[in-house]
Amino acid sequence: MAKLKVPSAQHLARNWEGTPDKVRKGLVKLVRNPPTFSYQPLFGYVRDMLLWGVSEQQIETAIRTKIKRENVQDLYLELLPLISSHFLGDRPKYVMAVDRRYYAAGRGLMVPFDPPIIYGGADGMVFPWFSFWKSNPLSGERLSLFVTIVKEILCDDPDLESANFQILDFSAPKGSVERKLSIINSNDVPILSSARKQDMLEVFAEGYFAALDELRNDPVADVKEAPIVGPDQLKLFD
């Protein structure tokens, strides 16, 4: 069963709503109808492309061999040509994993932030963030909230503050069923004022803890509460 855990920074922004009650309802719905797969394996294929120059054909073979569920295979293979066209041919100076960071989101909520990779491009360090949602990608204030949080995290780390933070949006444009890669430069996204950011975080935190209260005695949901002290917390879903 899915467990309600502290969301990642991206899922916090994705699941933000205008009122705590709407946040609560959305999180409860997610626990009762959880995602059935993860895009996480794709990050390994991206690292293989960048580190070793592994071809699109080799990765397609690996997906067909290692991913047993055909519907998940299809989702990965739908994304593969877009990922390949963006990264293949790049031979970065380095490719690195980044340790988990945490962001204080109010009421003791420590939100985990897990950058998949950073790499050394021709013009310096590149930090790509992957948004694999096919529909309803982050936009408007939700996108601004996410970018504001990430930029604060990066600025607090001397090793990352100079990184070129890009969002790779693999969604399908409205009216289309085919995905298209859009590269969003984080500098083109409006940053929230401190007051607005704090207001949005407080709304989410209140809704999150209300969802925990509702689910605590739910016979269907398997709830794991986030500790108020200590940052050992995972993403929204296992």
Side-chain angles (χ1 to χ4, degrees):
M1 291 181 219
K3 299 177 182 179
L4 178 61
K5 297 182 180 179
V6 174
S8 66
Q10 181 174 236
H11 282 96
L12 184 156
R14 169 81 164 188
N15 292 288
W16 182 86
E17 296 287 352
T19 68
D21 192 55
K22 288 182 178 179
V23 172
R24 174 191 61 79
K25 289 178 180 177
L27 294 178
V28 168
K29 182 178 179 180
L30 280 173
V31 169
R32 291 173 175 163
N33 301 279
T36 58
F37 73 99
S38 169
Y39 287 112
Q40 192 69 27
L42 289 174
F43 298 135
Y45 298 133
V46 171
R47 283 191 288 269
D48 289 345
M49 285 183 182
L50 290 171
L51 270 175
W52 315 113
V54 175
S55 71
E56 180 179 344
Q57 291 72 26
Q58 288 172 303
I59 293 174
E60 179 178 343
T61 299
I63 290 172
R64 294 188 184 280
T65 302
K66 296 180 180 180
I67 307 300
K68 302 305 180 184
R69 291 168 54 191
E70 289 188 7
N71 62 324
V72 179
Q73 275 189 24
D74 291 342
L75 288 167
Y76 288 2
L77 294 173
E78 180 183 33
L79 287 159
L80 180 59
L82 296 174
I83 295 172
S84 177
S85 65
H86 182 68
F87 285 110
L88 273 184
D90 283 351
R91 296 312 300 263
K93 300 173 185 176
Y94 58 85
V95 180
M96 298 172 57
V98 180
D99 291 338
R100 173 175 288 182
R101 271 74 171 162
Y102 293 89
Y103 184 84
R107 293 190 59 185
L109 199 58
M110 298 298 294
V111 174
F113 176 66
D114 293 292
I117 57 170
I118 58 171
Y119 64 92
D123 298 320
M125 182 187 298
V126 180
F127 165 39
W129 186 269
F130 299 79
S131 178
F132 288 130
W133 289 305
K134 187 169 185 177
S135 60
N136 299 320
L138 291 177
S139 62
E141 277 200 311
R142 289 184 177 88
L143 179 59
S144 288
L145 177 60
F146 175 64
V147 169
T148 300
I149 290 173
V150 174
K151 284 197 167 185
E152 287 186 16
I153 295 171
L154 296 179
C155 286
D156 284 342
D157 190 326
D159 294 330
L160 299 177
E161 61 180 347
S162 63
N164 177 11
F165 168 32
Q166 305 172 345
I167 298 172
L168 308 185
D169 178 358
F170 292 89
S171 62
K174 288 184 178 180
S176 174
V177 296
E178 293 186 5
R179 294 177 183 266
K180 178 182 178 182
L181 173 58
S182 299
I183 302 172
I184 302 171
N185 188 321
S186 63
N187 291 330
D188 295 332
V189 178
I191 298 299
L192 298 175
S193 68
S194 179
R196 179 56 180 157
K197 177 201 70 177
Q198 192 60 38
D199 177 65
M200 292 177 75
L201 291 176
E202 288 175 358
V203 166
F204 183 88
E206 184 176 343
Y208 171 82
F209 286 109
L212 278 182
D213 289 340
E214 179 174 343
L215 292 166
R216 188 172 286 111
N217 298 315
D218 191 314
V220 176
D222 184 8
V223 178
K224 180 177 180 181
E225 296 189 32
I228 297 300
V229 294
D232 189 20
Q233 304 164 0
L234 300 178
K235 291 184 180 179
L236 189 58
F237 295 104
D238 281 341

